[in-house]
Amino acid sequence: MNISPHHVDSIESDKIYVTKNRYILKSYMEKDIADVGIAPSVYIYDLVNKMKSNSRLPLAKIQESIQKAAEIFLYDEVNGLTINEYIKLVHQSTGLPVSIIDSSTKNIYESLKNIEEIIQEMLPSGMIISSKKKLTEGVSIPARRGNILSIIAAGNGPGLHALWPQAIALGYKVIVKPSNIEPFTAQRLVSSLHRAGLKHYIALCCTDHRGVGTLIDSTDLSIVYGDANTVKKYSNNPKVLVQGPGYSKVIVSSDSNNESAIALAAKSIVSLGGAACVSASSIFVEGDSRLFAEKLNDYIKSNISINDLPKVSLKKLGFFKEALNSYRSDGNFKFNYKEFDGAYILYPYIDFSAQDNKDLRQRELPFPCVSVLPFEQQNLYDLLKGSLSVTLYSKNIKMINEVLSYPDIGNIYVGDIPTTWMSNNLPHDGYISEFLIKGRSVRFSDDWIMKNSEEILAL
């Protein structure tokens, strides 16, 4: 890789927008690794208007191009970077283990390669997207709620970028505002889609907080990733789908094997570097929370490699220390870290309380950090509501059925399945199609369908 910093600029159609207003992105070792342009609001308004006027392609052609982009993304040199150089940059910017970034990169590839199957899985079985079949009898097709979608991306890992290409596959034109922490995945994916033939459907827009406001105001719909303050800011905006903290949890009932439950809990905490919204931030046990926490701490010390743990700068280390000091528990196993090559490796932080602690179960920090708390079955709904991912380590059928009936839990796994388990064919926090489209009935009179016509439903 070149010694000079990598450049990240806004991209639309065949043009790269280079501005003098820039910021320097530093690695977890506080070294300069990239400089990023900051586009002003006037550029954003112009970009949105251009994308609205661009021509459209049939959905089948769009999906074919997305599949082509998969090969470019994983195997070609893009923006002057090989795939290994890109992975190194993401590691340096996020501090996530290389193995996790590599896995996420391959998952993005799979999500692009299998886009046709993924879209079909997320649509109602009666809905069609590119066929004249039964037009004379009446069919359901997806009707977009808008035409231009903005994505305000997070930087806690590359994984979220596997999702938004689904919007392009449904016919949306998409503008991605990359994370200020990790803009490299968005840049690589946008460029790959451009080279695959979708330059009029996708743009990269590097901007600041003011530009984010302009982007959300000027596009039809937005998907915004952020913290609890972001949720509070946009939760009542019908144009915005907010992807906030996950507050993911593991429930360990008294009928389970404690030793295997501890291994499951550890995997749910440490997987994905502890930085993802599906990484467990609370473990609820039916029994002695302190004893479980002690065994969990011992297990992690004996079984977790430092290669599985995130690295942070001294500045971020201080931020985490300060954040943890603001919470009160009955005990903890200290905030442990190790100096490494000018940065710090963070070990999982575990604390516990003998009683339920609302502050602890609503704490979520972007590294392996968990509270072990007790629970009683009659209080489960209050403990679990609003969780993105919940693993029930229990064979109590009554409790399992009760939790399955709760309306506001994103994903529920039963048995030896970590909270971090995901599949491209299944919803992450609901299918994004639930936000982007609605069903529309279409029917043609028999004599209005031309036998030799091209695709009628060029959606």
Side-chain angles (χ1 to χ4, degrees), residues 206-417:
C206 306
T207 190
D208 54 15
H209 288 294
R210 181 180 296 179
V212 166
T214 302
L215 198 52
I216 292 172
D217 289 342
S218 59
T219 52
D220 299 319
L221 297 173
S222 301
I223 300 177
V224 180
Y225 293 82
D227 57 15
N229 291 328
T230 304
V231 174
K232 184 178 180 180
K233 182 175 182 179
Y234 293 111
S235 59
N236 294 320
N237 188 334
K239 288 177 49 178
V240 177
L241 175 64
V242 186
Q243 304 284 273
Y247 305 122
S248 296
K249 301 174 177 69
V250 176
I251 306 296
V252 181
S253 67
S254 57
D255 67 341
S256 61
N257 181 303
N258 242 14
E259 299 307 315
S260 55
I262 286 167
L264 169 69
K267 190 171 183 180
S268 296
I269 297 162
V270 176
S271 292
L272 303 180
C277 50
V278 290
S279 299
S281 56
S282 299
I283 311 293
F284 287 96
V285 297
E286 197 173 32
D288 189 332
S289 56
R290 179 183 186 126
L291 179 60
F292 191 96
E294 288 174 348
K295 290 184 175 181
L296 177 62
N297 186 60
D298 290 341
Y299 178 91
I300 286 176
K301 285 196 296 186
S302 300
N303 293 276
I304 301 301
S305 165
I306 61 171
N307 293 327
D308 298 324
L309 300 176
K311 302 181 184 75
V312 298
S313 64
L314 179 61
K315 181 178 180 181
K316 188 167 283 189
L317 182 74
F319 169 80
F320 288 148
K321 279 184 179 180
E322 185 177 347
L324 291 172
N325 287 337
S326 66
Y327 292 92
R328 295 291 175 263
S329 65
D330 290 344
N332 64 73
F333 299 96
K334 297 183 180 180
F335 181 47
N336 296 307
Y337 49 89
K338 178 181 180 181
E339 190 171 1
F340 175 82
D341 197 20
Y344 296 86
I345 295 173
L346 292 185
Y347 290 89
Y349 176 84
I350 303 169
D351 58 14
F352 59 88
S353 285
Q355 304 294 326
D356 177 36
N357 185 317
K358 186 176 180 180
D359 288 339
L360 291 181
R361 62 177 153 94
Q362 292 186 338
R363 179 186 68 193
E364 184 172 293
L365 295 171
F367 78 100
C369 173
V370 72
S371 295
V372 181
L373 304 167
F375 82 95
E376 296 178 356
Q377 292 185 29
Q378 61 267 30
N379 298 328
L380 264 182
Y381 179 69
D382 286 338
L383 302 181
L384 299 184
K385 61 183 178 182
S387 302
L388 173 58
S389 185
V390 170
T391 289
L392 294 172
Y393 201 75
S394 173
K395 294 184 178 179
N396 184 327
I397 298 300
K398 181 180 178 182
M399 185 176 77
I400 292 168
N401 282 334
E402 179 184 343
V403 173
L404 286 169
S405 73
Y406 296 161
D408 52 359
I409 298 175
N411 310 299
I412 299 171
Y413 310 131
V414 180
D416 192 14
I417 304 168

